[in-house]
Amino acid sequence: MLLPFILFLIASSHSVTGQVEGDRFPQNFGYVEVRQGAHMFWWLYFTLANVEHYTERPLIVWLQGGPGGSSTAVGNFQILGPLDEDFNERNYTWVKDFNVLFVDNPVGTGFSYVEDLNLLTTTNDEIALDFLNLMRGFYEVHPEFEGVPLYIYGQSYGGKMAIDMGIRIHEAEQNGTIGSNLRGVAMGNAWISPVDATLTWGPLLLAAGLVDQTGYDNIQAAAREAERLFNEGQYWNSTAQWRQTQQAVFNATYNVDFYDILTKMPWPRPTTMDLDSYEFIRDMMIRDGSYMTSRNLASFMNDVIRPKLNISNHVVWGQQSGAVFNTLNVDFMKPVTEGIEKLLNETNIILTKYNGNLDLICSTPGQILWVDRLKWHGAENYKNAERKPIWENDRLEGYYQAYENFRFFWINVAGHSVPRDNPAGTRAFLRDMTTFG
């Protein structure tokens, strides 16, 4: 197995050197200046697979949600990286089978930063263009990955961002301006059609016995108002009303966990003692399923990880994440279903939708609504395709339905972060898309 530790090289305004358990887990990391004054951080782990050269295995990009959630923190240390936050090895890490690239995205998230807050992105397409430039800079540092199959996996808002990223990467490949080889895009518990997701919170909670009729009515009234505002083009106000809908859920359920409805949560919410409801909800979204508070996660990344990576003290992990979320308030409730249709109708890129059945924020019923409305050449054949069981080690881990390059995976006993909650079920959709896992 040829896996030398590669010293950091960088094509950017500044560089960092260091490692986190690099003797056990070969890695590389650095910055790309995607626009003047806008710096994006990436962190690559080379695969541990028993191969002669790591480029024999695909490159997977992992994107966290929020917006403002950090892939290098949550995705890496709490979901699928090689080490957890206590630096214990994770036996189901994706690094065993793939090269995994964690990206702090959009710019301003995690260790990524802007020199002026006016440089933050305001739309999904702006995020995609920054990502395209990030990948161009990455391939300058690692040209050996050009032509290697590339897969983008996005969780929550990361799944929404991944769609426009897929479009922009594909266009650049067609134009010959990037050497990538995009084969697939995966949307994990993704914020694809926010209105659909929000309208299904009440029915899901009522069916699960977590609200009574009065609670359901209050939630649905708030959700329908968010829908009305969106339909009238009042996008900022729709986002504000969406937050009110979340508050109605908290009030009716006495603090249900939006990322796993079976999790027992404390009441009253201790984290709200010094936060208003907007800040609490923003913090929850930015954590994107992390079980650590924003303060604890920030301490871990700034006090433990940053020194190990020798990142400059002027870069404070997470300092601009709240501003990232705020800046995207107008775009927040907008769907990306037209982008999905474009990829299905105009490319051969595999699109995978997977969802944990215990998630509320991006509920499975809400995903089914927009999937059933997709307009693409295989829509009717997909709807008529057989829904099949997923068996792993003689255990039923979920179900899947597929036609041509679109597939949907229902994953059992999993919440918002499926790779962490159900690694066995995760292997099914990884194998389906990449043939590995």
Side-chain angles (χ1 to χ4, degrees):
M1 180 168 59
L2 180 59
L3 281 172
F5 176 73
I6 300 179
L7 294 176
F8 175 78
L9 301 171
I10 192 64
S12 179
S13 58
H14 63 283
S15 63
V16 293
T17 59
Q19 57 180 307
V20 176
E21 302 288 332
D23 54 334
R24 289 193 289 165
F25 301 103
Q27 61 198 255
N28 197 2
F29 39 85
Y31 282 94
V32 173
E33 189 170 22
V34 294
R35 287 174 283 122
Q36 186 173 357
H39 309 267
M40 286 186 67
F41 182 72
W42 56 269
W43 190 345
L44 170 71
Y45 287 92
F46 298 91
T47 185
L48 301 175
N50 186 22
V51 292
E52 290 189 10
H53 196 271
Y54 51 81
T55 55
E56 295 176 36
R57 288 299 175 93
L59 174 66
I60 287 182
V61 175
W62 178 263
L63 304 170
Q64 214 60 51
S70 169
S71 300
T72 63
V74 180
N76 184 8
F77 290 104
Q78 295 193 350
I79 299 180
L80 55 90
L83 299 168
D84 64 20
E85 63 272 19
D86 295 317
F87 300 115
N88 296 317
E89 292 190 26
R90 178 174 286 114
N91 61 11
Y92 59 86
T93 176
W94 289 14
V95 177
K96 286 186 175 181
D97 295 298
F98 307 98
N99 303 285
V100 181
L101 180 64
F102 296 100
V103 178
D104 278 344
N105 166 88
V107 66
T109 297
F111 284 129
S112 296
Y113 67 97
V114 291
E115 297 172 21
D116 187 312
L117 291 180
N118 289 325
L119 295 171
L120 294 175
T121 51
T122 60
T123 69
N124 216 48
D125 189 53
E126 289 178 0
I127 293 170
L129 290 170
D130 276 356
F131 178 78
L132 176 61
N133 286 331
L134 178 280
M135 293 305 296
R136 284 173 172 148
F138 171 79
Y139 286 120
E140 288 181 12
V141 177
H142 285 291
E144 72 274 21
F145 279 107
E146 292 187 347
V148 171
L150 171 68
Y151 299 91
I152 303 174
Y153 279 71
Q155 174 173 294
S156 197
Y157 209 90
K160 175 177 179 174
M161 295 185 289
I163 296 304
D164 284 290
M165 291 173 179
I167 291 171
R168 287 296 186 175
I169 289 285
H170 177 73
E171 290 175 348
E173 289 179 353
Q174 296 297 105
N175 295 333
T177 60
I178 194 170
S180 58
N181 180 16
L182 181 62
R183 297 282 188 86
V185 175
M187 304 160 278
N189 291 71
W191 196 238
I192 299 298
S193 183
V195 169
D196 284 326
T198 306
L199 287 171
T200 58
W201 292 348
L204 190 155
L205 291 168
L206 185 64
L210 294 174
V211 298
D212 60 11
Q213 189 64 43
T214 299
Y216 167 84
D217 290 341
N218 290 338
I219 294 167
Q220 288 309 98
R224 284 192 291 268
E225 178 63 8
E227 179 187 33
R228 182 188 71 79
L229 291 167
F230 178 84
N231 289 339
E232 292 181 357
Q234 299 186 51
Y235 302 123
W236 191 95
N237 289 333
S238 180
T239 299
Q241 181 60 33
W242 167 84
R243 292 194 295 269
Q244 293 301 313
T245 309
Q246 281 198 306
Q247 194 62 54
V249 170
F250 285 132
N251 292 339
T253 60
Y254 293 91
N255 198 25
V256 70
D257 185 347
F258 262 87
Y259 296 125
D260 186 333
I261 61 173
L262 296 187
T263 300
K264 296 181 179 180
M265 301 294 288
W267 182 267
R269 295 186 292 272
T271 51
T272 62
M273 299 300 290
D274 57 351
L275 297 175
D276 64 25
S277 59
Y278 171 75
E279 290 175 314
F280 172 77
I281 289 170
R282 182 182 66 186
D283 176 76
M284 183 194 75
M285 295 296 289
I286 290 172
R287 286 191 288 118
D288 191 29
S290 167
Y291 49 79
M292 297 174 72
T293 67
S294 60
R295 292 182 180 87
N296 290 339
L297 196 57
S299 176
F300 174 70
M301 294 302 291
N302 284 313
D303 299 339
V304 179
I305 298 303
R306 184 173 60 181
K308 288 180 178 291
L309 302 183
N310 289 329
I311 294 176
S312 171
N313 288 335
H314 88 272
V315 179
V316 179
W317 182 93
Q319 186 176 49
Q320 298 175 341
S321 293
V324 169
F325 187 95
N326 296 343
T327 305
L328 285 162
N329 262 324
V330 173
D331 212 52
F332 186 81
M333 294 294 285
K334 294 180 181 178
V336 290
T337 46
E338 288 186 4
I340 293 172
E341 291 169 347
K342 180 179 180 67
L343 289 171
L344 288 173
N345 287 318
E346 299 177 15
T347 79
N348 292 320
I349 294 170
I350 297 171
L351 293 186
T352 293
K353 178 74 202 73
Y354 68 86
N355 236 69
N357 61 2
L358 301 178
D359 189 20
L360 177 63
I361 189 74
C362 298
S363 71
T364 300
Q367 309 295 321
I368 293 171
L369 289 177
W370 64 259
V371 167
D372 284 347
R373 291 199 306 270
L374 287 177
K375 296 179 176 62
W376 63 292
H377 64 270
E380 289 305 312
N381 286 326
Y382 167 77
K383 291 175 185 177
N384 293 326
E386 181 184 359
R387 184 172 181 256
K388 299 179 180 180
I390 299 170
W391 295 103
E392 294 286 329
N393 298 319
D394 296 324
R395 178 185 170 111
L396 182 65
E397 300 293 357
Y399 311 89
Y400 73 97
Q401 188 172 341
Y403 182 74
E404 290 188 351
N405 56 326
F406 183 76
R407 52 265 287 114
F408 194 118
F409 284 79
W410 292 256
I411 304 298
N412 292 340
V413 197
H416 193 65
S417 298
V418 171
R420 179 181 64 203
D421 296 344
N422 190 335
T426 297
R427 287 195 293 269
F429 59 75
L430 282 172
R431 282 198 308 270
D432 175 79
M433 181 177 277
T434 72
T435 73
F436 299 103

